[in-house]
Amino acid sequence: MVFVRTTLPRPVDVTAVFPELAPLARPAIRLHPRPGSPSVGESSVGGPLLWPADEPWPHCEASHLHVDSGFRESPDDVRLKRRMQARRHRDHNGRGTTPEEAAVKERNAARLAERFAAGPPPADCPVPMLPVAQLYLRDIPLLRPPGQADLLQVLWCPYDHDPDHKPSTALFWRSAAAVADILATPPEPYEVNDDGYLPEPCVLAPEAVTEYPNSLDLSPQMRLMVEDWSRWQAAGASVDSSEHADCPRDFYDVHLADVPGWKVGGWPPWGRTDPYPRYCTVCEVQMVPLLTIASYEWDGGEGYSWAPQEDQAAACAANTVGSCCGQCPSQPTKVEVGSTDNMQIYVCPTFPEHPHTDLIQ
């Protein structure tokens, strides 16, 4: 069965109301990650990477002060916790720990104790990075890889880094056909600073969409335009005036502007700060959004209109009664960056191999 996710039509044709926005339309691809068992030959979030056996696995060389914090939760511990939460979600009477889970927990604790028997690693000890996303050009045609590359691999360090308190990221472009022998067992960090930095393995259902800028990215004149309720009325927009006449700009941002969730391309989501351009450190060209790593696929409240058609029932139920046992339908990747924010990765549009940059919004 082909895995498909479909964005519902927007409640208003934004360009019918505001033709001035049509030139600002950008293509984007919603990735729609959902828990699964991806292979190295598939695009994925948090899945195994097509990594050459003869190429060193990337490590973060920065200082990791959190290693000495006393925090002790290994990737295996996080995975076990998630399996237990999923079981309890399926069986509300099974609140305890099964003998099998207890045995795994004991083995994990013994393994971690053995690793730290000689004391915790020093703060300057290189830390293996974790796979975040693997994207094949055949699935994500918006990618603009350098040369003959047809595969993008994104990894990050499982620790926060100053000054922005976010994981450091690494990007690798490669040709899939050039990978002969595949690294079977990549190294993993002893522990993770936050379980939101360990993505759940997810398969993808890429969907091409067209999106428009957040109102913060509009010119002052255009912001006044989307705030003008008479423009909405004159265009015959079927918007509930009792709810939105006082805040049409909010309606635009929530329902019509930049698409939430994991995506490639499109417009960036703003909120923590106002927009500001980012420039390539090598050639000084203005950088463009490559990948948005999202804490949530859609927002609660009105924002669940962005939940795909196939997830509407689950989204409505969660919006009404909330999530249970850590099983939130809008957080399939279990990733959480910032305060339930997004990490935006930017690249040079002229030379994608130039150093990238990232920020939390």
Side-chain angles (χ1 to χ4, degrees):
M1 179 181 294
V2 178
F3 172 45
V4 173
R5 286 296 182 271
T6 312
T7 300
L8 292 169
R10 293 299 83 205
V12 173
D13 180 354
V14 67
T15 56
V17 182
F18 305 109
E20 298 91 335
L21 291 176
L24 300 180
R26 283 185 184 177
I29 294 182
R30 296 188 76 180
L31 299 182
H32 296 306
R34 298 294 184 271
S37 300
S39 70
V40 296
E42 296 176 289
S43 295
S44 66
V45 162
L49 302 185
L50 186 77
W51 196 269
D54 59 354
E55 184 175 324
W57 186 261
H59 285 62
C60 180
E61 305 287 343
S63 176
H64 299 90
L65 299 178
H66 291 90
V67 171
D68 290 324
S69 67
F71 182 86
R72 295 290 177 267
E73 191 169 32
S74 69
D76 285 340
D77 289 331
V78 174
R79 296 183 183 110
L80 174 61
K81 177 177 66 178
R82 290 175 180 172
R83 291 197 299 271
M84 293 172 65
Q85 289 174 334
R87 175 181 62 78
R88 291 166 181 169
H89 179 68
R90 294 190 302 268
D91 177 13
H92 295 298
N93 294 320
R95 294 292 183 179
T97 302
T98 68
E100 293 79 8
E101 291 166 348
V104 173
K105 185 179 291 189
E106 187 174 338
R107 285 199 301 271
N108 290 350
R111 186 180 301 117
L112 196 60
E114 181 180 351
R115 286 175 169 176
F116 285 94
D124 59 355
C125 178
V127 172
M129 302 186 91
L130 289 170
V132 175
Q134 173 167 272
L135 305 176
Y136 283 88
L137 180 62
R138 64 172 186 264
D139 300 321
I140 317 294
L142 277 186
L143 294 174
R144 295 292 180 265
Q148 300 301 308
D150 60 358
L151 177 60
L152 170 65
Q153 295 169 326
V154 182
L155 301 93
W156 66 18
C157 175
Y159 294 97
D160 282 321
H161 289 266
D162 292 331
D164 300 318
H165 302 289
K166 58 181 173 57
S168 60
T169 54
L171 269 59
F172 296 86
W173 299 95
R174 68 173 77 252
S175 169
V179 181
D181 297 324
I182 301 169
L183 181 64
T185 309
E188 284 198 326
Y190 290 130
E191 57 187 9
V192 291
N193 179 215
D194 187 313
D195 61 8
Y197 293 165
L198 180 66
E200 187 73 7
C202 289
V203 295
L204 307 182
E207 178 196 19
V209 297
T210 299
E211 63 175 32
Y212 298 89
N214 184 286
S215 64
L216 293 173
D217 257 323
L218 297 176
S219 67
Q221 295 78 11
M222 283 190 170
R223 279 200 294 272
L224 289 174
M225 177 184 72
V226 298
E227 290 172 351
D228 184 356
W229 181 245
S230 65
R231 284 288 300 269
W232 297 82
Q233 292 175 305
S238 55
V239 179
D240 187 345
S241 60
S242 65
E243 291 186 39
H244 302 293
D246 293 334
C247 50
R249 178 175 163 184
D250 289 346
F251 177 82
Y252 169 80
D253 279 333
V254 171
H255 295 288
L256 307 176
D258 54 284
V259 177
W262 289 65
K263 66 184 179 184
V264 168
W267 285 92
W270 298 107
R272 179 181 285 191
T273 69
D274 287 340
Y276 60 96
R278 306 177 72 77
Y279 296 95
C280 177
T281 57
V282 177
C283 64
E284 299 184 354
V285 170
Q286 185 170 340
M287 305 180 87
V288 296
L290 171 68
L291 175 66
T292 298
I293 298 170
S295 295
Y296 288 90
E297 286 294 284
W298 59 83
D299 299 326
E302 286 190 292
Y304 80 82
S305 71
W306 285 108
Q309 176 179 319
E310 297 81 0
D311 294 319
Q312 277 290 307
C316 291
N319 193 48
T320 302
V321 302
S323 58
C324 175
C325 302
Q327 306 303 297
C328 179
S330 64
Q331 198 177 28
T333 65
K334 300 296 190 290
V335 165
E336 192 162 318
V337 290
S339 300
T340 65
D341 294 315
N342 304 285
M343 174 178 277
Q344 304 165 31
I345 293 180
Y346 289 80
V347 292
C348 174
T350 308
F351 300 100
E353 66 273 23
H354 283 176
H356 72 285
T357 188
D358 55 53
L359 74 158
I360 299 289
Q361 281 295 320

